Each structure stands twice: as structure tokens, then as C-alpha cells.
Amino acid sequence: MTTYTGSCHCGGIAIRFNSEKKPEEMRVGRCGCSFCRRHGARTLGDPAGSVEFRCKSGTLSCYRFGLGITDYLLCASCGTYVGAVMPEEGGAIGIVNVNSLDIRDTFDPAPALHHYDGEDEARRRSRRRKFWMKATVIA
């Protein structure tokens, strides 16, 4: 297992992404929703891996929209979108914004754009279970 590190711009939120995959084997995506597009997000998850977001006091801001089932994690100090976490039975699952990783330049700058408009909660959770990973937020 390799640990890939990163952070928000000011360092208030530290990221530890663990995966057995090499960067070139990882599936990076871009969501077509207005939130992700406005942040220029490129995200990934590894169902066999995990991600940890460790936040200094007062730096974590969570934002929910759409179906209201996911916390989008932003730094309250610098505004960086670092990832998203969705509560599930057995623990949260999440994704990381590769723009927040130290190896960000390794990934495709413009992966395919995906539109998820029209998904209901059951379909969205099902899709995310396939690609997202175990996630921990320490605030």
C-alpha cells in the first residue's frame, strides 16, 4: 500500500490517500455539476484503498447540496475543495480531489466529464459504492 499525501492550499487540512494502485492505474473523473466545475475538481476513489482528511481546529467546512447525502469538504481558511464523504452503513466512503494531492500533475488535466443529473438517492449511492473508498475525517 502506498500513501499519497496532500493538503488544502494553506495546509489546514492534511490528506493521506492509501492505494495499492500506481497513479497511472487510477481512474480520475470530473463531475459535471456546477459545484465541481466551479472548483475545477478532478476526483478519484479506490474501493480497495482509503482516504483520511485530518483538519486543524476550525479549518473544516462541510457543504451539502442536491440530494443532501454528501459532505463536500472545504477548508474554511483558504477555500480549497479537498474531497467528499458520504455516510454509509459500516462507515463513510469518499473521494479525494486530486488537485489537492502532492502528485496532482501526474493525472490527466482534463478527464472525461460525467453528468449525474436525474439520479435518485438509491442510484447515486449504488454508483458511489463501486468507485469510492473508506473515508475518515478527523476534525
Side-chain angles (χ1 to χ4, degrees), residues 106-128:
T106 305
F107 300 104
D108 182 352
L113 188 63
H114 301 281
H115 294 278
Y116 304 112
D117 297 340
E119 278 186 333
D120 62 14
E121 182 176 341
R123 186 170 174 191
R124 183 154 300 163
R125 285 184 181 278
S126 176
R127 175 180 49 81
R128 288 177 174 172

Side-chain angles (χ1 to χ4, degrees), residues 21-77:
K21 293 181 180 179
K22 296 176 184 170
E24 60 271 14
E25 300 170 329
M26 296 181 196
R27 177 187 173 271
V28 177
R30 285 186 313 149
C31 174
C33 79
S34 59
F35 176 86
C36 290
R37 287 191 0 238
R38 284 184 173 120
H39 285 274
R42 296 177 298 154
T43 59
L44 69 82
D46 175 5
S50 65
V51 64
E52 177 186 277
F53 301 97
R54 187 174 293 267
C55 312
K56 292 180 182 174
S57 180
T59 58
L60 180 64
S61 177
C62 296
Y63 177 62
R64 283 192 176 200
F65 64 97
L67 295 175
I69 60 173
T70 304
D71 286 322
Y72 291 83
L73 310 177
L74 300 108
C75 177
S77 297

Side-chain angles (χ1 to χ4, degrees), residues 5-8 15 17 28-30 35-36 38-45 51 53 72-74 79-84 94-104 107 133:
T5 59
S7 68
C8 64
I15 302 164
F17 165 51
V28 177
R30 285 186 313 149
F35 176 86
C36 290
R38 284 184 173 120
H39 285 274
R42 296 177 298 154
T43 59
L44 69 82
V51 64
F53 301 97
Y72 291 83
L73 310 177
L74 300 108
T80 302
Y81 164 49
V82 295
I95 53 172
V96 64
N97 183 354
V98 300
N99 295 331
S100 299
L101 295 175
D102 296 335
I103 61 167
R104 68 187 142 271
F107 300 104
M133 62 195 139

